[in-house]
Amino acid sequence: MLFRSNVDTKSDYSSKFLCAYLKSSFFIWLLINKHDNINVYEPDLFNELRVPDLNFKNDNVKKLIKKVETEIDIILSKENDFLKIKLNNNNYEDEIIKHNSIVDIHAKNIDSIIYELLDLKEETQKIIESTLNANKIYFPKTN
């Protein structure tokens, strides 16, 4: 089984992993292709949400999930640092662009780890990214 229908409170899924997965390019692509909609707040769509059915006893899966959680910790730290910056009219756009480019690196890393967890081939990854591009949906890019 590739996807689990729901996550119970005794699940091995961490909140950090679930947040990363729900923001991943793969998940957004899945919503577009399965539901033609990305508004997860719509009750019909929300009730259909699925998470990957991962083998948490597998050491590689554990390692990859830990990598996702580490990337989330870095993003949260960068977001916290950004909130402390004094923005004004002179630096507003430059600081936002700089911040987003830093966060994008880590978001792209998360996408790569999700692809690996799901064993998605490079061709499938390109399809995901081109679909998001074609639908004018933002996905992290590396320079």
Side-chain angles (χ1 to χ4, degrees):
M1 172 159 37
L2 181 60
F3 292 98
R4 188 177 291 185
S5 62
N6 59 23
V7 178
D8 61 34
T9 56
K10 296 176 184 165
S11 160
D12 290 315
Y13 293 96
S14 69
S15 57
K16 289 178 186 177
F17 175 79
L18 288 172
C19 287
Y21 175 73
L22 294 172
K23 294 278 295 175
S24 71
S25 294
F26 170 78
F27 185 74
I28 295 168
W29 172 83
L30 184 67
L31 290 176
I32 290 169
N33 283 285
K34 186 171 182 187
H35 302 284
D36 200 28
N37 185 352
I38 61 171
N39 185 358
V40 296
Y41 298 108
E42 287 185 12
D44 290 343
L45 183 59
F46 182 82
N47 290 329
E48 290 290 320
L49 296 181
R50 302 291 183 260
V51 295
D53 192 16
L54 302 174
N55 178 1
F56 291 98
K57 293 177 181 159
N58 180 296
D59 288 336
N60 191 49
V61 168
K62 289 179 191 176
K63 182 183 87 174
L64 291 171
I65 288 173
K66 184 68 180 159
K67 286 170 98 175
V68 167
E69 292 169 343
T70 299
E71 292 292 341
I72 287 291
D73 286 337
I74 293 168
I75 289 173
L76 290 173
S77 173
K78 298 297 180 191
E79 295 288 351
N80 190 42
D81 293 345
F82 180 72
L83 292 173
K84 295 176 185 173
I85 295 173
K86 300 285 188 225
L87 295 177
N88 59 50
N89 288 340
N90 295 331
N91 72 350
Y92 182 77
E93 278 189 47
D94 291 340
E95 287 296 331
I96 290 172
I97 291 168
K98 180 179 156 186
H99 169 72
N100 286 345
S101 68
I102 292 168
V103 170
D104 273 0
I105 293 167
H106 301 286
K108 185 67 174 168
N109 290 345
I110 289 170
D111 277 347
S112 296
I113 298 165
I114 298 288
Y115 294 154
E116 188 175 346
L117 276 167
L118 299 175
D119 197 27
L120 300 179
K121 307 299 180 231
E122 189 172 333
E123 181 179 320
T124 304
Q125 295 171 33
K126 288 179 182 178
I127 291 169
I128 290 168
E129 292 174 5
S130 66
T131 301
L132 294 180
N133 241 350
N135 284 283
K136 295 182 169 68
I137 295 175
Y138 177 81
F139 70 95
K141 299 173 183 76
T142 54
N143 296 335

